[in-house]
Amino acid sequence: MFSGGPIFESSIPLSVFGVDRQDAGVPRYRLLVCAGEDGPLRTTGGLELTAPYGLDALGRAGTVVVPAWRSISQPPPASALTALRRAHEEGARIIGLCTGAFVLAAAGLLDGRPATTHWMYAPTLAKRYPSVHVDPRELYVDDGDILTSAGTAAGIDLCLHVVRTDHGADAANALARRLVVPPRRSGGQERYLDRSLPEEIGGDPLAEVVAWALEHLHEQFDVETLAARAYMSRRTFDRRFRSLTGSAPLQWLITQRVLQAQRLLETSDYSVDEVAGRCGFRSPVALRGHFRRQLGSSPASYRMAFRARRPQEGAERQDRGDRPERSERGDAPAEGLPHQRRAPQTLDGPQAGRRLEPGKRHEPGKPESDVYAARTPEQHGRADGPEISGLTGTPGLTRLRGDRGGRPGGRPGSVPGLLPGSARSTAMPGQRDRPVG
């Protein structure tokens, strides 16, 4: 724990791993609360905390949790980064909740790996650490011995996932009942995304170009148009935009158009063809392709699922005599005749809740969401590190990266929905009783 960290995130590992609930069928962890810097540690609300252990206790832990970091603009203490690197080299599993991912990135533990954090800070993480493959749409990302989560409540999701990985679904479900939370939350962070960009861009000359683009999404323009407005060549504009946002300008522009289409599908009665035109797509086919890649559903299926959650509004529309919205193919109404359309399929694991087009199957290796990345996933690589330790029970479906099949104890094999080269890791003898730090 660090001074200035938010108390909610700091209390999550204490609640999950620090309370004896063996009477409810939850295996007990041994928890050591360690100060990442000199105390007393001050947290939100003016509270002062005193941790009973220091950084030297990390050497005793099988799992190390960094619940949060006080400011994404401040570097973490060098002594804490050194202790984290040493613990990882000795085989510990490292977890970063919310802004704790910035501490892991500063220690170099996320280089070449997939990771997530709060969607509001994801562009900053990608910009500051360009070798990290940042996905702002996931609630959590499990890369074997390194795990990260999105903001606040997503830390609970990740900690439950750790219990499920260590001790099985029954233990995780029992703990979820005691915490009065769902064992698995569906969906990701995409429902919370807005048009925010890193705060640093506010004083940059490109801010005016970005503001113009957001105001004219209904027009058809490309990156060359934006570069011309910035009085830059395409190459210079691409490099400058990527350095500010962690995303390529074309990727960012498509994402904004899809988000605008998502809002129109939720709030208007425009047809899919009209939505495509009002979001700057050159054709409805282009909208459908990008929409499905980012949100895992076709525009018509997304609208149908969204309105199914609002039956009262749909009934009022029928009472007014409004005609129901027709489906994408035009063969049946999207409302009022649910028996004619199958509900969208969903994915399991970290991508749980992602909707797929009815009749379609998810193809392994094809990502279902946009990412902030300075390089493509195929360009990311990392050297083999130590074998994962402290994992027991049957691992659940996790989003892994990197082929560990060649290591002793590894079990190579692909799982549908995982990134290419995924593998599961098994327990190492003698690691079950190592404490959580």
Side-chain angles (χ1 to χ4, degrees), residues 58-413:
L58 269 63
R60 304 163 54 187
T63 300
V64 180
V65 183
V66 182
W69 174 238
R70 57 175 166 263
S71 174
I72 62 173
S73 61
Q74 295 183 18
S79 57
L81 300 182
T82 301
L84 283 172
R85 285 190 288 264
R86 184 183 303 114
H88 181 252
E89 291 169 358
E90 294 174 353
R93 174 175 54 182
I94 312 296
I95 299 174
L97 307 181
C98 192
T99 52
F102 283 81
V103 181
L104 273 59
L109 301 180
L110 297 182
D111 290 350
R113 292 177 178 259
T116 191
T117 187
H118 193 292
W119 60 263
M120 189 167 60
Y121 305 129
T124 303
L125 181 65
K127 171 194 172 184
R128 190 167 300 161
Y129 303 100
S131 62
V132 181
H133 187 65
V134 183
D135 189 339
R137 297 184 179 275
E138 298 293 346
L139 289 176
Y140 59 83
V141 172
D142 183 339
D143 194 39
D145 54 346
I146 301 290
L147 301 88
T148 51
S149 81
T152 315
I156 301 177
D157 298 311
L158 178 52
C159 289
L160 284 175
H161 168 74
V162 169
V163 175
R164 187 180 303 110
T165 301
D166 289 352
H167 302 290
D170 290 343
N173 294 343
L175 177 57
R177 287 194 295 271
R178 291 293 292 265
L179 297 176
V180 197
V181 297
R184 291 178 184 267
R185 276 201 298 162
S186 62
Q189 293 191 87
E190 70 271 4
R191 72 189 72 177
Y192 309 111
L193 288 170
D194 63 11
R195 303 192 295 182
S196 300
L197 285 172
E199 296 178 0
E200 300 96 301
I201 200 174
D204 192 273
L206 286 185
E208 182 179 348
V209 177
V210 169
W212 180 89
L214 293 175
E215 293 174 0
H216 294 78
L217 288 175
H218 59 283
E219 300 178 7
Q220 292 186 9
F221 60 87
D222 51 22
V223 178
E224 282 76 9
T225 303
L226 299 180
R229 293 189 65 87
Y231 302 100
M232 298 179 183
S233 67
R234 171 64 186 270
R235 175 179 291 185
T236 301
F237 182 80
D238 281 4
R239 184 173 61 252
R240 182 64 177 158
F241 193 94
R242 189 187 295 272
S243 68
L244 284 172
T245 67
S247 172
L250 179 59
Q251 176 190 29
W252 176 86
L253 182 58
I254 292 174
T255 299
Q256 303 311 314
R257 294 194 188 280
V258 170
L259 291 175
Q260 177 70 0
Q262 185 180 6
R263 285 187 286 269
L264 290 179
L265 291 170
E266 294 174 355
T267 61
S268 75
D269 290 325
Y270 295 129
S271 68
V272 173
D273 291 8
E274 291 174 321
V275 169
R278 291 176 178 271
C279 296
F281 289 102
R282 299 186 183 279
S283 69
V285 175
L287 167 62
R288 293 184 182 100
H290 291 300
F291 198 95
R292 183 177 289 107
R293 277 191 290 273
Q294 289 198 31
L295 300 178
S297 170
S298 70
S301 297
Y302 177 86
R303 171 175 276 172
M304 181 172 62
F306 177 80
R307 290 185 173 177
R309 296 193 297 266
R310 304 170 64 183
Q312 183 176 358
E313 178 182 331
E316 292 174 354
R317 223 174 7 251
Q318 294 289 345
D319 292 341
R320 292 197 304 266
D322 295 347
R323 297 180 61 185
E325 179 72 20
R326 296 192 63 82
S327 70
E328 206 169 314
R329 296 181 302 171
D331 54 0
E335 291 183 37
L337 296 176
H339 59 281
Q340 295 189 12
R341 294 289 300 275
R342 294 182 60 188
Q345 295 175 329
T346 58
L347 297 174
D348 295 324
Q351 299 191 47
R354 294 290 177 83
R355 289 181 295 277
L356 294 178
E357 175 73 359
K360 302 290 185 180
R361 294 184 63 84
H362 176 62
E363 299 181 19
K366 288 191 176 181
E368 290 293 331
S369 63
D370 252 12
V371 294
Y372 290 103
R375 294 183 291 172
T376 61
E378 291 75 10
Q379 293 174 310
H380 284 292
R382 57 184 174 86
D384 289 347
E387 181 63 29
I388 304 172
S389 66
L391 301 181
T392 62
T394 303
L397 286 179
T398 56
R399 185 169 185 174
L400 308 180
R401 190 173 186 84
D403 189 356
R404 300 182 180 85
R407 302 184 192 177
R411 295 186 299 174

Side-chain angles (χ1 to χ4, degrees), residues 410-424:
R411 295 186 299 174
S414 61
V415 180
L418 303 191
L419 294 176
S422 298
R424 296 185 180 183

